[in-house]
Amino acid sequence: MRAFTFDTPATVADAVAQAGDGSAYLAGGTTLVDLMKLDAMTPTRVLDINRLPMRGIRLEGARLSVGALERMSDVADHPMVRARYPVVAEALLRSASPQVRNMASIGGNLLQRTRCGYFRDPDTPCNKRAPGTGCPARDGHNRAHAILGTSNDCVATHPSDLAVALVALDASVLLRNRTGERIVRLDDIYRLPENTPHLENQLHPGELLTEVSIPALDWARRSTYVKVRDRQSYEFALTSAAVALDVRGGMIRNARVAAGGVGTKPWRLPAVERALTGRPMRLDTFESAVAHAADGARPLAHNRFKPALLRRTIVRALTGLED
Amino acid sequence: MARSLLGNPVNRVDGPVKVTGQARYAADNNPPDLCHGYLLTSTIANGMVLSMDLGAAEQSGGVIAIYTPDNRLPLHGEPPFLPNVLGERRRPLSDHEVRYHGQIIGVVVADTFEQARDAAALIRVAYRELPPNSSFEENLDRGEQPPFVGLPLGVPVDIGVASIDDALAASQVTQATTYRHPPRHHNAMEPHSAVAVWKGDELTIYSGTQGPAAHAEELAVALAVDKTKVHVVSPHVGGGFGGKAFTWAPTLLAAAAARSLGRPVKIVTTREQLYTVTGHRSAVVQTMTLGAREDGTLNAIKHHSFTEALVEDPGVRTTLSFYATPNLQLRLLCPPGMNLPTPTILRAPGDETGSFALECAMDELAIRLQMDPIDLRLKNYLRTSLQTGLPYSSKHLDECYRVGAARFGWSRRRAAPRSVSDGDWLVGMGMASAVLAAGRAATTVRVLFRADGTAAVATATADLGTGMWTILAMMGAESLGIPVDRIRPSIGDSRLPVGPGSAPYGAIGSAATATVMPAVRDAADNAIAALIQHGVTHRRSPLRGLSVEQVRYRDGKLSGGGTTIGFGELLTTTRTREHGATTTNEVKESTEYVFGSYAAHFCEVRVNRFTGEALLSRMTTVVDAGTILNEKTARNQITGGVIFGIGPALFEGGHVEASTGRIDNANLADYLIPVNTDVPDIDVVFLDHPDPNVSPVGARGLGELGTIGSAAAVVNAVCNATGKRIRDLPITPDKLFE
């Protein structure tokens, strides 16, 4: 860990005024502190935002607003979240461990760094951590790595389960900066690595994610999150699927599908959604709809199973929404 | 009262201090003037350290000293116990050569741990790097017969006809299958830690170890001091699993740095460093060829193993003690000099690995012969040693099968895979056997009666979480006829009485209970005799003048000549603080029997038909290990052992990058071990048939028994559920879903 200055700004305005290049916001600390101890992140200034008024889970009109400092466990347990967006509650409960969920914030979860072992080990090259040094994951151990949205410079998987559920629900986030605030669709926040994998999102230096907003979606009550992983708790996804279906009279009228564990960002699958829409709620519908779910995938030596596993994960999730 | 303790569930006597955080593990010791060492490890696997730029680190806050190959800490000789086999022969920092990724190349000592760690990160190392020979797969054709090391490790075994291949060819059915598992790491909760304090030329070192006396001896050799000058203190050990059986570099460096600096030094190995600077279990490839008659009778077994280095022998340790066969060939091959960290023993050495291959192969043979897997095992039931012909003493493995099958509901198993499902989950059942060679050694125990009415029972063994504190107290209570709360057990200290032969190794080979408990009984008898002698001779004693034959000891009291007096009162009266005896018992190798402990494992698994995750739904393990001394700690050992077998079956394995020799998953987030959700209900049953031939106590070892065969039970259940035979552990979803 490198020496850094530590401040606890009293207001959001104060926080964004103090932040900038080389600074890092500290919420639950479950990612940042780990990475600082590993020397994989070396902020010169740490701003503890835990006292800022970025809390609360409430309806704002028809949308559900979640403060960025809400803890994962509190959001997962919230009656409105469980009733209206089961996919969100399930994605949270399948993340991390109870201890981590009690500490980790929603904002931090969405902006957490990848679990790629090379990113976390400063003794190895990594284009994301040290631009231009190379990507050993391409030829190294890459079982957990991405197959979609990858580039020659980076194949790191986006680790958040929550983000997959929220991208499926078309959630947006509120960003505060020195000049004001802006609302951005969560799906648009994440950047593909291309040749700048160190730039992971569209946040400007010092910009603060203060709130998550989930649009009303009545039929999201029929939604679920399936996560396939190498053990049943405290493990990241090999593949995951967030699905929601609007089913009436045995016919699918509308669908939301997003995938995790496979992309360099949460991976919305509009083609699968279209292929489901207007079709009967049956296994053969699901199987034909996912046929192209992994199109464009670039599997690596240790994750050649991921395209097939992804298709099966989505099918399993969809069958879970049958009456 | 006291006698009824044995065989009953007794709470751990060390439980309260552990759950209240008062138990002192090595790293909990913070003597005055303490400073902290941090290990610097290599980032290449093969080559030389050319130079180290220490400038920034030396200027970093709190730094006291930096030791490197150019500024060595004096460490001498080589490890006294099987230096080529069980530990690291080369002393740390002794030259510039780098032999594996993660090798210690420096130690930074600073006022705090954080200062030492952060300074270590500032050191820039220049290497001359050579291509590493770190690929296990690429070495498979370079295997050689290892040299003889004085133990039956890697020694070829041939029983029966001259050509095993002829015997196999003459068999009605032959089956050749190959089984693989990756490197395995101990991952004890407590990392290797040491706090070294010198006073003059005497060292006190707090360091977690399975054998305090052996640890002291290893330190004495390395530090070139007499072993009486080294005092190892290790009352509590946060898991050993073989990884703390021998002394590793962090402890040696703490002792040497403390001597060099003239102040106490603590070194706590980080989790990542544990993967390379302490031992691991080698990856193993085993080819198992079985020849049998159509009725299942084995005619030949050919078991060939390949490991990174000679440490464990799956063939000898396992295949010799499972099944009757007229023809047998065992071979172990190892490649010379790979650039990998040093392997060592790991819980159930040889047996865990060998039972995985053998018990999977037997399941495959049963399927092929359309036999029930239990019937095939009974058909080849081993009653006499394959090597000596001596009978197995008190062996009830057949009863384990029978009792287990009934409790588990084995009759509901369908032989055809994919016949049973529960929603989207395919359900399967599998079983496997466990055999553990049951050793027992001589040791030395001191029993002292004290004037305060307590009795001290002491011996230099260790409690790795295994329950030794508790059963030592129980056995003392039973032998002296007093309540367990009047026994003061002492272990985990090299200054305590230590026995001959293998006794200094302490808690090793699942033999601690079988070794120590009979010795406590002998020591108690001698202490009672000494107490009576004291009573009839001491001038202040009310029993003075009686002959020893006239005095009886019973339940803590001496009676004779119409007088009855408790030992506490007697010693108070004679102004004697404590009185008793130190006894070394004798254990003769049996010329009539061979000894083993046995278990049958049953496993039910559910495999998702879409995505292939294998979830264990329940397990049953039936154990035959002679007398069960404490049902609670014994159950805990078996349950933990079964989970220790579930780990490699479904999750565990070190990922060595062939091109760099780096272990990619050297942390507890990426190296997967089972978590609670992964562990099913485990029904443990003890048959509790005392074995009168092993010792008067009748107890055989069981610590490693749960681990032996349990992975095979999982593999066999998965095959029954899915029809897929996984021979390459761990069983991950991608191997099952298609």
Side-chain angles (χ1 to χ4, degrees), chain A residues 57-64 78-89 169 214-223 244:
Chain A
I57 301 169
R58 56 190 165 262
L59 284 176
E60 289 192 351
R63 301 175 73 95
L64 187 74
H78 197 279
M80 273 196 292
V81 174
R82 288 165 54 184
R84 288 161 188 258
Y85 309 103
V87 65
V88 171
L169 295 172
I214 312 174
L217 195 67
D218 280 349
W219 47 271
R221 289 173 190 271
R222 190 195 289 257
S223 67

Side-chain angles (χ1 to χ4, degrees), chain A residues 1-3 37-39 115 117-118 120-121 123-124 136 139-143 226-235 238-239 283 287 302 305-306 308-309 311-313 315-316 319, chain B residues 41 43 101 117-119 121-122 272 424-425 608-615 650-651 655-659 662 664 667-675 677-678 732-734 737-738:
Chain A
M1 193 179 277
R2 305 288 105 212
K37 283 158 81 172
L38 293 168
D39 257 0
R115 288 295 311 190
Y118 302 97
R120 295 170 65 86
D121 179 356
D123 289 327
T124 64
D139 299 315
H141 274 276
N142 46 37
R143 172 180 173 78
V226 167
K227 179 175 180 178
V228 178
R229 45 182 159 170
D230 281 332
R231 71 176 165 195
Q232 291 308 303
S233 179
Y234 193 47
E235 173 62 341
L238 291 171
T239 58
L283 184 61
E287 285 177 342
H302 301 114
F305 60 90
K306 278 197 174 185
L309 186 58
R311 291 189 288 269
R312 288 165 164 270
T313 304
V315 170
R316 179 176 156 194
T319 61
Chain B
T41 55
T43 58
H101 200 287
R117 179 190 64 193
D118 294 348
L122 297 173
E272 182 177 15
D424 289 333
W425 299 83
N608 190 276
R609 67 167 76 242
F610 291 111
T611 48
E613 301 106 301
L615 311 187
L650 296 178
F651 309 106
H655 304 159
V656 180
E657 286 178 351
S659 61
R662 171 181 175 271
D664 175 63
N667 61 72
L668 283 178
D670 295 317
Y671 181 103
L672 302 189
I673 58 173
V675 295
T677 330
D678 301 305
T732 47
D734 49 299
F737 75 77
E738 277 182 324

Side-chain angles (χ1 to χ4, degrees), chain B residues 238-555:
Chain B
F241 314 120
K244 290 174 186 152
F246 299 92
T247 301
W248 295 92
T251 301
L252 303 180
L253 290 168
R259 181 161 66 178
S260 168
L261 293 170
R263 57 188 281 199
V265 172
K266 178 191 289 189
I267 291 183
V268 178
T269 315
T270 68
R271 181 61 56 183
E272 182 177 15
Q273 291 167 351
L274 288 172
Y275 283 73
T276 61
V277 310
T278 67
H280 68 282
R281 165 171 287 154
S282 167
V284 184
V285 175
Q286 302 175 76
T287 300
M288 188 71 73
T289 313
L290 305 180
R293 291 209 299 256
E294 296 279 2
D295 70 356
T297 309
L298 287 169
N299 177 49
I301 301 177
K302 177 179 169 183
H303 183 176
H304 287 196
S305 296
F306 179 91
T307 72
E308 292 163 18
L310 178 66
V311 174
E312 303 181 355
D313 189 332
V316 172
R317 287 218 35 171
T318 308
T319 310
L320 269 176
S321 55
F322 269 63
Y323 298 110
T325 179
N327 303 294
L328 178 69
Q329 185 192 70
L330 306 175
R331 293 286 185 275
L332 178 69
L333 299 178
C334 309
M338 290 182 66
N339 294 118
L340 291 174
T342 311
T344 190
I345 53 172
L346 190 150
R347 195 177 195 177
D351 292 328
E352 183 194 346
T353 301
S355 64
F356 155 57
L358 182 58
E359 288 299 277
C360 287
M362 287 296 278
D363 198 66
E364 297 198 49
L365 184 63
I367 291 169
R368 176 141 172 208
L369 298 173
Q370 299 188 317
M371 287 180 75
D372 185 282
I374 295 177
D375 292 341
L376 178 65
R377 285 166 171 83
L378 288 171
K379 189 93 187 171
N380 295 288
Y381 201 71
L382 184 63
R383 296 180 190 282
T384 57
S385 163
L386 290 177
Q387 283 187 306
T388 64
L390 292 176
Y392 279 92
S393 171
S394 187
K395 175 174 177 175
H396 304 279
L397 178 57
D398 47 354
E399 188 181 337
C400 293
Y401 295 141
R402 206 163 55 241
V403 170
R407 283 183 78 104
F408 184 75
W410 183 249
S411 62
R412 297 200 301 276
R413 174 180 178 268
R414 297 288 159 263
R418 307 181 80 92
S419 331
V420 182
S421 58
D422 177 5
D424 289 333
W425 299 83
L426 301 168
V427 183
M429 294 184 185
M431 60 82 57
S433 324
V435 179
L436 170 70
R440 179 198 164 199
T443 195
T444 303
V445 175
R446 185 176 67 209
V447 174
L448 295 176
F449 295 101
R450 289 174 167 171
D452 65 3
T454 65
V457 181
T459 185
T461 188
D463 189 326
L464 317 175
T466 43
M468 178 54 73
W469 278 109
T470 308
I471 55 170
L472 192 65
M474 288 168 63
M475 194 72 208
E478 204 258 1
S479 303
L480 297 175
I482 60 176
V484 73
D485 62 10
R486 287 174 61 193
I487 301 293
R488 299 287 175 269
S490 292
I491 54 174
D493 188 312
S494 62
R495 296 242 162 115
L496 296 174
V498 58
S502 63
Y505 296 124
I508 197 166
S510 295
T513 296
T515 294
V516 172
M517 294 308 117
V520 171
R521 187 172 274 187
D522 293 347
D525 288 345
N526 285 346
I528 289 167
L531 182 72
I532 291 172
Q533 185 68 34
H534 178 78
V536 300
T537 53
H538 197 281
R539 63 187 172 86
R540 296 182 198 275
S541 167
L543 302 170
R544 187 180 185 213
L546 297 171
S547 73
V548 293
E549 291 78 20
Q550 287 173 298
V551 179
R552 283 191 59 215
Y553 174 93
R554 188 186 163 87
D555 294 348

Side-chain angles (χ1 to χ4, degrees), chain A residues 32-69:
Chain A
L32 179 66
V33 176
D34 265 13
L35 291 171
M36 288 172 68
K37 283 158 81 172
L38 293 168
D39 257 0
M41 283 182 73
T42 53
T44 51
R45 169 167 241 186
V46 174
L47 299 168
D48 180 352
I49 57 171
N50 284 294
R51 288 193 225 163
L52 301 186
M54 295 156 48
R55 304 248 178 193
I57 301 169
R58 56 190 165 262
L59 284 176
E60 289 192 351
R63 301 175 73 95
L64 187 74
S65 158
V66 179
L69 282 176

